[in-house]
Amino acid sequence: MTADLVAVHVAGNTEPRGTACRLFAEELTGALGELTVGSSRPAPPVSVWALGVGDACEDHPGGSPDTTALPVHVYGRHVLVGPWPTGEGAGCGECLRRRWQGVRSVALREGLELRGGTRETGPWPYRTPFAAQTVAALIARLSAASREDRRPFPDVWLVDLDQLTILHHPLVPDPDCPGCGVPEPVIAESAEPALAPAPKYRPDVSRVRPVGAYGIQVDAFANPHWGAVGPSVVCDVTSPTTSATVGCFSSRSGDYLRETFWGGHADSFHASIRIGVLEGLERFAGMRARGRAVTLTAALEELGPGAVDPRQTGLYTDAFHRANPWVPSFAPDRPIPWVWGWSLRDARPRPVPEVLAYYHKPGIEHRFVQESSNGCASGGSLAEAVLGGLMEVLERDAFLVAWHGMQPLPEIDPMTSADPRTRLMVERMALYGYRARFFDTRITFPVPVVTAVAERFDGGPARMCFGAGAALDPEAALAAALCEIATDSVQLLQRFRRDEAAYRAMAEDFGMITSLHDHPLVYAVPEMGRHADFLLRTPAPRAPVRVAELNLPGPQGPAPDVREDLLAAVDMVTSAGFDVVVVQQTVPEQRALGLHTVKVLVPGLLPLDFGWTRQRARHMPRTRTALRAAGLRGRDLTEGDLNPGPHPFP
């Protein structure tokens, strides 16, 4: 191999920042030349880069990427080799630099992304003949290896020159990579979801395959070097109920990094880890239009009634905008970005404001509301994903209608569940001081919705936590609600004690409640229980209902095909006068695993918000009319009828 086969790149920066990189490249050139002389399978050209000297999301070379060169990256004691060039553009050195930067420490990311990068402070201490010879030997070995790997993501190898180890993890290509990413235009013609038949893998589920069937390479998504959804996944080995796991990734939005948590809470860590990774991917896909080019900017008045009107999905009050003048208010005559959704009621495309379809697009110039992941769901088929998103929308709407209207609900006897795992978990929670209570929250629609409350027997700190579930099968709805409170209740006291003074202050001044975590944790304050007395302390409680009483009306139960379940659920919603709008959010890395992600909106139903001053639901017409329309109240509610407390939803 000759010197002209090695290119030296320093991520958009020049000397003296690239001195160590240049010198190592020269030594690697010589070592590769010695190892590959006369080889029948010579190594490809090598492109050497320095990591951590500039912002990989901003500094990148122009023109077409070199799909024939093998990227080699240097940082600290690490040398990264790969992904191996295939000429197909499925993962490249630029993807690796972006993913690597995404799992760096906050301090380093602040320096790279906001402060103009870093510089060398002295000679690279790991530049030894051994380093070049080791990396060259690895490249030669990889060059001689078979190229028949059919896994969805390519490998990258990491040489640790301090620990003297070599490991590898798959690299998930970055859909926004300017090197190999190909943005898909967001157009009306691509909005229609192809709702093909989706037979269930088991009669009592709403999925086409089990989680284990996706073949998820966990280390592709959670590893400390270039994990796609974070540096790690942590198993909570102290939990006495579920095998909970948690992970986190950070996304930049202007001057701050937003942490996004994901996790799973099944009955084994093996399942919880994979469920958590799927949730992390769902979060990643739902935050912004990844790998997609938004093409429509217009005012609502220009688009007409076919567009989803943000006034139907809820807006903040004028008082909020006066107190927060940097948050723009919605105006029907002001152009904003839109994406295309699909109306399942009308079978036609509908423009949807981008801030309603994706909940963390950078910048606030068009973010007149801060949407949440409400209605986002993933599945092994489009029908499965849409059904999951619709169930979540119905669950949150029903909970908020009941909460804000302080509507007493029929209590469900969990011991009538046909699932022994449900009954055993209820008994297990009692061992740890919590009574698990469940309430039938069907209000507008016949879909089974269950609100769950874990209530401390002694009424002390960490007094209660809430959860909910919705499904066409009431056993599944009950199990989903139970899983949430079983995980959260046993952790509540510890989380509350970490910042007890702050949560007690929030209980006195709701204006201090600003984030997602504040809502459930403020209900760890015992005195906050008074806001839930309408549910837990009804003066004349009725006999608990059996789980089977929540079954859908008529002889039919859930169908053997997820698509049939979805069509039945959509009919229940549209028959009540609402539309079901689907926005496809699937990113390429999900598509590679056979997954789909969507955002489901039902304009007019109540949205879930976090932060006391950001509560859209309290000011929407449905909050006042839904209970009367369902025959549960004799008149519409007034402001004085609403629950004065913030919702406790996690």
Side-chain angles (χ1 to χ4, degrees):
M1 177 174 287
T2 59
D4 62 351
L5 293 180
V6 177
V8 181
H9 299 281
V10 195
N13 294 283
T14 56
E15 304 284 7
R17 293 181 176 182
T19 301
C21 187
R22 176 180 56 79
L23 294 174
F24 177 70
E26 294 172 356
E27 293 167 356
L28 180 59
T29 300
L32 276 171
E34 294 175 5
L35 284 173
T36 57
V37 171
S39 173
S40 60
R41 300 184 69 176
V46 175
S47 178
V48 182
W49 295 72
L51 291 169
V53 295
D55 185 356
C57 295
E58 294 293 338
D59 300 333
H60 53 83
S64 300
D66 184 355
T67 58
T68 64
L70 173 65
V72 173
H73 291 86
V74 177
Y75 180 79
R77 68 178 199 254
H78 293 158
V79 179
L80 284 58
V81 178
W84 197 266
T86 63
E88 299 175 357
C92 65
E94 191 132 3
C95 289
L96 177 60
R97 291 187 286 277
R98 293 165 68 93
R99 295 292 195 193
W100 179 91
Q101 184 171 306
V103 294
R104 294 308 100 196
S105 68
V106 172
L108 181 55
R109 287 192 64 178
E110 293 291 314
L112 295 177
E113 297 165 12
L114 299 180
R115 307 288 182 261
T118 66
R119 62 181 177 83
E120 296 177 7
T121 59
W124 184 37
Y126 295 98
R127 188 177 65 80
T128 65
F130 171 79
Q133 293 164 5
T134 299
V135 175
L138 173 61
I139 293 173
R141 176 69 179 269
L142 295 175
S143 180
S146 170
R147 295 276 165 257
E148 297 182 359
D149 191 347
R150 298 184 181 275
R151 293 180 298 173
F153 309 120
D155 274 330
V156 173
W157 298 75
L158 183 144
V159 180
D160 190 319
L161 298 172
D162 186 59
Q163 300 295 319
L164 302 182
T165 57
I166 299 177
L167 57 82
H168 62 92
H169 299 296
L171 169 70
V172 179
D174 186 333
D176 292 324
C177 175
C180 66
V182 181
E184 301 175 14
V186 182
I187 55 178
E189 290 76 10
S190 62
E192 182 177 3
L195 297 175
K200 300 174 181 178
Y201 78 88
R202 204 175 67 198
D204 59 339
V205 300
S206 294
R207 298 194 175 278
V208 297
R209 62 181 67 91
V211 171
Y214 291 102
I216 297 170
Q217 297 171 273
V218 174
D219 63 332
F221 299 98
N223 78 70
H225 307 294
W226 49 85
V229 292
S232 65
V233 53
V234 178
C235 297
D236 182 6
V237 297
T238 67
S239 173
T241 51
T242 61
S243 299
T245 60
V246 66
C248 177
F249 64 89
S250 297
S251 301
R252 178 156 299 284
S253 181
D255 290 338
Y256 77 99
L257 287 171
R258 172 188 169 128
E259 286 187 321
T260 300
F261 288 89
W262 49 264
H265 36 258
D267 55 7
S268 74
F269 287 120
H270 183 273
S272 292
I273 289 171
R274 283 151 183 79
I275 292 170
V277 167
L278 292 179
E279 184 175 87
L281 276 172
E282 179 189 303
R283 299 273 195 269
F284 183 80
M287 294 177 72
R288 60 188 70 168
R290 317 260 188 188
R292 296 170 183 263
V294 177
T295 57
L296 178 61
T297 299
L300 176 65
E301 290 179 347
E302 299 174 61
L303 298 175
V308 171
D309 189 336
R311 292 170 294 192
Q312 292 184 325
T313 59
L315 297 171
Y316 300 146
T317 63
D318 292 339
F320 171 85
H321 289 291
R322 286 194 297 270
N324 301 274
W326 57 89
V327 179
S329 59
F330 173 75
D333 61 347
R334 188 177 72 245
I336 60 173
W338 301 74
V339 298
W340 286 96
W342 184 263
S343 166
L344 293 180
R345 180 190 63 190
D346 304 330
R348 63 179 176 89
R350 292 191 68 182
V352 178
E354 187 182 18
V355 296
L356 297 181
Y358 295 94
Y359 55 93
H360 194 61
K361 180 189 176 181
I364 65 170
E365 62 273 14
H366 299 300
R367 199 185 300 171
F368 48 83
V369 296
Q370 176 57 66
E371 189 56 271
S372 70
S373 63
N374 189 45
C376 295
S378 298
S381 71
L382 265 175
E384 179 184 325
V386 176
L387 180 61
L390 179 57
M391 291 297 105
E392 186 169 274
V393 170
L394 299 184
E395 166 203 304
R396 273 73 187 282
D397 169 78
F399 177 86
L400 291 170
V401 167
W403 179 267
H404 291 309
M406 294 192 290
Q407 175 62 36
L409 300 171
E411 189 156 4
I412 304 165
D413 181 0
M415 291 301 131
T416 64
S417 170
D419 190 340
R421 295 170 299 180
T422 293
R423 301 193 301 270
L424 289 171
M425 184 59 76
V426 169
E427 293 175 347
R428 188 170 188 83
M429 290 179 63
L431 292 175
Y432 291 92
Y434 282 94
R435 178 186 178 192
R437 302 180 66 180
F438 304 89
F439 299 89
D440 177 3
T441 320
R442 293 173 296 174
I443 294 176
T444 301
F445 311 102
V447 173
V449 178
V450 176
T451 294
V453 186
E455 183 183 21
R456 273 190 65 154
F457 289 116
D458 63 7
R463 178 175 174 178
M464 61 182 63
C465 69
F466 291 73
L472 298 184
D473 177 3
E475 292 282 359
L478 181 69
L482 171 60
C483 191
E484 290 190 356
I485 62 170
T487 298
D488 295 343
S489 61
V490 295
Q491 301 171 343
L492 188 59
L493 183 59
Q494 182 181 14
R495 295 175 65 192
F496 174 63
R497 292 296 192 201
R498 289 177 191 157
D499 206 355
E500 180 175 349
Y503 296 120
R504 289 191 177 276
M506 291 178 195
E508 298 296 325
D509 179 3
F510 296 156
M512 298 176 65
I513 297 173
T514 59
S515 73
L516 180 152
H517 302 291
D518 295 342
H519 283 265
L521 283 167
V522 76
Y523 280 87
V525 178
E527 293 76 14
M528 287 293 291
R530 66 185 183 276
H531 298 299
D533 282 348
F534 75 91
L535 185 64
L536 305 177
R537 304 285 181 269
T538 53
R542 293 179 290 175
V545 301
R546 300 177 60 84
V547 175
E549 293 180 50
L550 276 67
N551 281 317
L552 291 169
Q556 77 281 2
D561 190 289
V562 179
R563 183 179 66 169
E564 298 307 311
D565 280 352
L566 170 62
L567 295 178
V570 169
D571 183 63
M572 296 175 202
V573 175
T574 57
S575 296
F578 298 92
D579 194 6
V580 177
V581 182
V582 177
V583 177
Q584 299 195 53
Q585 298 177 327
T586 310
V587 291
E589 48 265 58
Q590 291 176 311
R591 202 171 292 120
L593 297 173
L595 288 163
H596 304 264
T597 293
V598 299
K599 167 79 172 186
V600 176
L601 296 101
V602 180
L605 296 193
L606 301 186
L608 185 69
D609 289 309
F610 301 101
W612 175 247
T613 62
R614 293 178 179 267
Q615 297 301 301
R616 290 176 283 168
R618 293 181 68 88
H619 310 287
M620 291 176 65
R622 178 166 169 77
T623 302
R624 289 159 171 75
T625 63
L627 294 175
R628 187 262 309 155
L632 297 172
R633 297 288 177 89
R635 58 173 177 80
D636 289 346
L637 304 183
T638 65
E639 182 70 23
D641 295 322
L642 300 185
N643 195 328
H647 74 74
F649 210 85

